[in-house]
Amino acid sequence: MPELAAIVTGANSGIGLPTARELARRGARVTVAARDPERGGAAVAGILRDVPGADVVFRRLDLADLSSVREFAAGVDRVDLLINNAGVGMIPRTLTKDGFELQFGTNHLGHFALTGLLLPRLLAAPAPRVVTVASDAHKVGRLDFDDLALERGYGKTSSYGRSKLANLLFTFELQRRARRAGSALRAVATHPGATATNFFSVGPFQPLLKLFLRSAEDGAAPSLYAATSPLIRGGEYLGPRSQPLTPSKAARDEALAARLWDVSAELTGVRFGEFADT
């Protein structure tokens, strides 16, 4: 793989860590983007132990704080590959620093803003890619634009599904806009399958549950394939075996995607430059 500059959000743990490690092993310049400096530094140290001489650094990024997203993006000089991997799930109702429901605000709005702010650097790359980790949980997601804060009803699973539906709608709309603009950017979504990550790290059945979960390394495989394979086409949705999956009807709704894009741009203040009106 030719040398490229890659950013992996949430690369301090879960499937993000083996994703960053393998990209570094293949010669990429990798930025571990994560909220906690201690854990991020430990992730970088671990990658350097496994891949001596790797070009890997940590930079702080809190996707639940748009000021942090802007600060991070302002410090990026080059990016060929952005992997929107970080996420939270199955948590009690909480708000981001900017007042958004946390799962939607982190998993979708934070990554929407990050991608838009990095777009000029992505478009300067010869073959830019944006890989967003979604989930088949998107099939239980519903978007109510009159209650995006979920003040009238909150469910841990349904809220997570809503954020993953937003990830897919965003990916497909980003690809449509890239094509209309004549850009070489490829936007791809992945579903890692149920993996033994922090999502399943608590509860009385956790030791037994892990017997039925894929390893984080296996969970990283679709993201790595989407990031590196020359066969990838923009707008694909890849599953655990890196095979194309069929997203839900809602995820393929172009009108819904366009509305989500406009609402997300309004909420975050990020307009995507030359993709804004395509």
Side-chain angles (χ1 to χ4, degrees):
M1 181 180 67
E3 181 181 353
L4 54 79
I7 295 171
V8 184
T9 69
N12 60 302
S13 63
I15 67 173
L17 180 54
T19 299
R21 183 192 303 119
E22 186 58 29
L23 288 172
R25 195 186 309 278
R26 299 187 189 194
R29 187 180 86 184
V30 179
T31 297
V32 170
R35 184 177 56 184
D36 187 325
E38 184 175 348
R39 295 176 66 191
V44 168
I47 292 172
L48 288 172
R49 282 194 301 271
D50 294 338
V51 190
D55 189 352
V56 56
V57 297
F58 165 77
R59 287 195 59 219
R60 186 178 182 277
L61 170 65
D62 184 353
L63 290 162
D65 179 356
L66 290 177
S67 66
S68 174
V69 176
R70 290 182 180 277
E71 181 179 359
F72 178 91
V76 174
D77 60 352
R78 175 192 161 198
V79 58
D80 301 88
L81 168 64
L82 172 62
I83 299 187
N84 291 323
N85 165 82
V88 295
M90 316 303 178
I91 57 174
R93 185 177 182 273
T94 312
L95 300 181
T96 70
K97 184 176 180 180
D98 303 283
F100 308 125
E101 185 274 314
L102 187 63
Q103 297 192 75
F104 184 74
T106 300
N107 300 353
H108 168 61
L109 290 176
H111 281 129
F112 176 93
L114 178 64
T115 306
L117 291 167
L118 292 178
L119 189 64
R121 267 80 87 199
L122 283 163
L123 296 185
R129 297 192 193 192
V130 176
V131 178
T132 299
V133 178
S135 168
D136 264 4
H138 80 274
K139 293 176 181 178
V140 302
R142 299 291 182 272
L143 279 170
D144 180 356
F145 290 101
D146 294 323
D147 187 26
L148 286 178
L150 297 182
E151 295 176 329
R152 295 197 293 266
Y154 180 85
K156 296 177 183 179
T157 302
S158 59
S159 174
Y160 178 69
R162 178 183 74 151
S163 73
K164 296 291 105 177
L165 172 61
N167 286 155
L168 281 171
L169 288 165
F170 166 60
T171 296
F172 299 151
E173 181 66 11
L174 178 62
Q175 185 60 50
R176 281 189 288 268
R177 288 175 181 246
R179 284 177 180 149
R180 290 198 293 265
S183 169
L185 184 143
R186 281 177 278 184
V188 184
T190 63
H191 166 49
T195 58
T197 64
N198 293 342
F199 272 41
F200 300 98
S201 62
V202 296
F205 303 109
Q206 184 262 345
L208 180 61
L209 186 59
K210 278 196 172 183
L211 295 175
F212 302 97
L213 299 177
R214 307 173 75 232
S215 69
E217 287 74 15
D218 287 342
S223 293
L224 287 165
Y225 184 78
T228 63
S229 172
L231 302 178
I232 285 297
R233 296 172 299 167
E236 289 193 271
Y237 175 41
L238 303 177
R241 294 177 178 81
S242 301
Q243 296 298 315
L245 297 177
T246 301
S248 69
K249 182 178 179 181
R252 291 178 278 118
D253 187 326
E254 294 188 19
L256 183 63
R259 185 177 181 188
L260 176 64
W261 184 284
D262 290 343
V263 169
S264 300
E266 185 67 28
L267 291 173
T268 63
V270 177
R271 304 293 176 180
F272 276 72
E274 64 185 76
F275 283 11
D277 301 315
T278 57

